[in-house]
Amino acid sequence: MPEQDDWKQVLHYGQYVHRLAYDESQKAPSPSFFSVIEEHRPRTYILPNLTTLMWRAMTPSGLGRIHLFLNPDLQHLILEVGTKFPEFNSFLTDLSLRTRLASFTFTSNDALPDDFAHLLKPQDELEKLALMAPGALSSVIGKWASTLPRLRSLQ
C-alpha cells in the first residue's frame, strides 16, 4: 500500500493531467489499482485539473470506477457503456450533481433510460451533445436538447 511519501509524486504530477482515457476491455490497469486510490488517496481529487475524460465501461464495476475522476472542473465526457446497468440512473444523477459539462458524448447499444433527459437536466451548460443509443431521437430528448441555451452541436 502506498505510504504518505509515495503520494507526493502522484499529487505533484497529477496536477498536470488534463485528459484521461480508460477502456475497461484493455484490462490495464488492474481493478485493484482503483481500490487502492479510493481507499488511500490523501485528497478528494487526485487529478484536480482533469478537463476531459474518455471512459469505456463494459461492466457495472467499470462504470463505478469513473467516480474517482468526476470533478467540478471536468468539461468534456465521452462515455461508452456496453450494456444498460442497474446503477446507470444513479450514475447520471451523480454526474449531474458533481459536474457542469460543456460537452457530453454517450454511446450504448441499449436504449437510453426513460428519465435520461430528467436526470441530465442540471447539465444546462452543454455546448455539444452527441447521443448514439436507441431512443436518442425521441421527442423527450429533443425537447430537453431544445432547452439547452448554449447548445451549438447536436448529434
Side-chain angles (χ1 to χ4, degrees):
M1 290 302 131
E3 301 291 328
Q4 191 67 22
D5 285 345
D6 297 332
W7 285 105
K8 287 181 183 175
Q9 229 176 0
V10 172
L11 296 176
H12 173 73
Y13 288 106
Q15 67 185 340
Y16 298 110
V17 177
H18 297 279
R19 185 178 175 140
L20 178 70
Y22 173 73
D23 184 343
E24 184 180 17
S25 68
Q26 298 300 313
K27 304 295 184 205
S30 167
S32 64
F33 169 79
F34 296 98
S35 299
V36 169
I37 291 176
E38 180 97 43
E39 293 173 25
H40 300 284
R41 61 186 166 175
R43 68 179 184 208
T44 304
Y45 304 114
I46 299 297
L47 306 175
N49 297 314
L50 187 68
T51 58
T52 302
L53 183 58
M54 295 169 285
W55 203 266
R56 186 172 187 221
M58 300 296 116
T59 64
S61 59
L63 181 63
R65 294 180 191 116
I66 197 172
H67 294 284
L68 285 170
F69 305 101
L70 297 179
N71 70 52
D73 294 325
L74 190 67
Q75 294 294 304
H76 313 283
L77 177 60
I78 301 164
L79 177 64
E80 182 179 337
V81 295
T83 60
K84 194 175 192 178
F85 308 131
E87 303 86 2
F88 192 65
N89 286 10
S90 62
F91 162 75
L92 290 175
T93 300
D94 186 47
L95 173 71
S96 289
L97 292 174
R98 295 173 61 185
T99 65
R100 288 292 175 259
L101 300 173
S103 71
F104 181 49
T105 300
F106 177 71
T107 305
S108 175
N109 292 329
D110 284 337
L112 293 175
D114 293 336
D115 51 354
F116 184 84
H118 175 73
L119 295 171
L120 287 180
K121 192 170 185 154
Q123 294 293 341
D124 57 3
E125 295 182 20
L126 285 171
E127 297 172 11
K128 178 183 177 191
L129 177 63
L131 302 173
M132 280 77 60
L137 296 176
S138 72
S139 61
V140 173
I141 298 297
K143 285 179 185 178
W144 167 65
S146 71
T147 67
L148 298 170
R150 297 180 184 203
L151 191 65
R152 301 290 177 260
S153 174
L154 177 62
Q155 180 180 2

